[in-house]
Amino acid sequence: MSLLTKTMSLAAAAAMAVTLLSSASFAEDGTGQQLYPLFTYRTGPYAPSFIPFGAGNIDYLRYINEVEGGVDGVKILVQECETAYTIERGIECYERYKNGYNGALTAAIYPHSSGLDVALTDKARIDKIPIVSPGGGQNIATDGRVFPYQYPLVFDYWSEAQIIVDYIAQQAGGYDKLKGLKIATLYHDSGYGRDTIEPLGILSKKYGFEDIQIPVPHPGEQQQTQWQQIRRANADWVFLRGWGVMTPVAIKTAARVGFPANRIIGDIWSGSEDDARPAGAAANGYLAVSVFPPGTDYGILKTLKADILDKGKSDLKDNSKFGTVYYNYGVIEAITFVEALRTGHKKFGNRPLTAAEGQWALEHLDIDQKRIAELGAEGLISPLKTSIDNHKGETIAAKIIQWNGQSWDTRTDWIKADASLFADVIKAKAAAYAKEKGIEPRVATN
């Protein structure tokens, strides 16, 4: 999804260039600190999504630095790099920080873009830099034997397709009731949007529902034709894979053609408050997949409010965004980074990790229910355990939420994807990729 590129003003660039989470002295010497290159898109059409997300990211890391004294005593140095959500600028940011910054080591890079994640695949393998994309990585990179430096942590779009079908089956009365149903996928016509075409084709053959795929050109401000097509097809459900303005436009256009909102299920990037609220009353009853549950009634959110927001230290300019989907997403992602560092410290000692050590830590993550409780994140995240064979996590799960006109209500507990369903396909695709690139798959040891 490479989009507009506008040059930031010098003043804005200066303001965004560096975010320090502890003291100004860290800008001059990063020695002894762990670098966190924060890829931002504070400019461009997707900035409304990043702003609360980035605040959640920064607030959690600020809490770790200022309240907990760092990760096992190691402070985190955050360096912002503005991509405007473009591939070109994202690669510039990667090149700028892949080898660290002023003495601070890089253990991993979170590109914050599915397109950039793909674009960095070859570079990361050559440079041996871990690329981590919670919720937005490549499904094929689950196979860490072939993709040693890609981490589609927490969630992926193939699992999402499976969870959508599972939820629809629950509503229909069982998987056997899916036969004959028509499920239309309205997708952003980009690599991200097209990523569920293949798994839905597989699921359609398995369960007998009709799979209808309808693309929407970027940015998706005109969708009358697509929704009339959905109406003519008599679709029973719509899986909405939007991004940015496409989502509220889809919900409002659906209302105009008479398609009920409670039969539309948005994907994880179509399920924020900023996706539903602009659609007004048309969004009442709208459903969405949630890997980043909204709300403030989580232990870690209460801690952040007391130690960061109430003390005027939050990166949020609009505190009404606290506890929103994107804010919580930022917190969750930061948790994965910090927990990876803790994992690495147990093996390598309490010091900044190199990229090689970050790689080891990321494929030995084990955030179990006990650790989730210790983090104050019960209900906010589901267990996450990785390995060399599985860079995504053994248990992939999401909830279904529903818009009530003001906020999201949780409709389900965690729905777990069946990891075995696509395992053979993923391994076959990874093997084909390895053959094409001349990669010798690693052997999992420890």
Side-chain angles (χ1 to χ4, degrees), residues 241-276:
R241 304 208 64 230
W243 179 231
V245 69
M246 176 180 159
T247 299
V249 169
I251 297 169
K252 288 191 283 189
T253 310
R256 283 200 293 274
V257 302
F259 194 90
N262 64 2
R263 288 291 178 127
I264 307 172
I265 310 175
D267 90 333
I268 58 171
W269 309 126
S270 294
S272 77
E273 293 79 359
D274 291 329
D275 291 310

Side-chain angles (χ1 to χ4, degrees), residues 49-71:
S49 301
F50 176 81
I51 290 169
F53 162 74
N57 233 217
I58 290 171
D59 285 0
Y60 186 75
L61 297 179
R62 179 171 285 129
Y63 163 76
I64 292 293
N65 269 358
E66 297 189 7
V67 179
E68 296 197 356
V71 185

Side-chain angles (χ1 to χ4, degrees), residues 32-34 71-74 105 341 344-345 347-354 357:
Q33 298 176 76
Q34 189 74 62
V71 185
D72 302 319
V74 178
L105 299 181
L341 296 183
H345 291 168
K347 181 174 177 64
F348 303 108
N350 296 343
R351 57 170 176 73
L353 302 181
T354 64
E357 292 164 347

Side-chain angles (χ1 to χ4, degrees), residues 34-45:
Q34 189 74 62
L35 181 64
Y36 182 71
L38 177 57
F39 285 31
T40 63
Y41 42 101
R42 296 186 187 276
T43 59

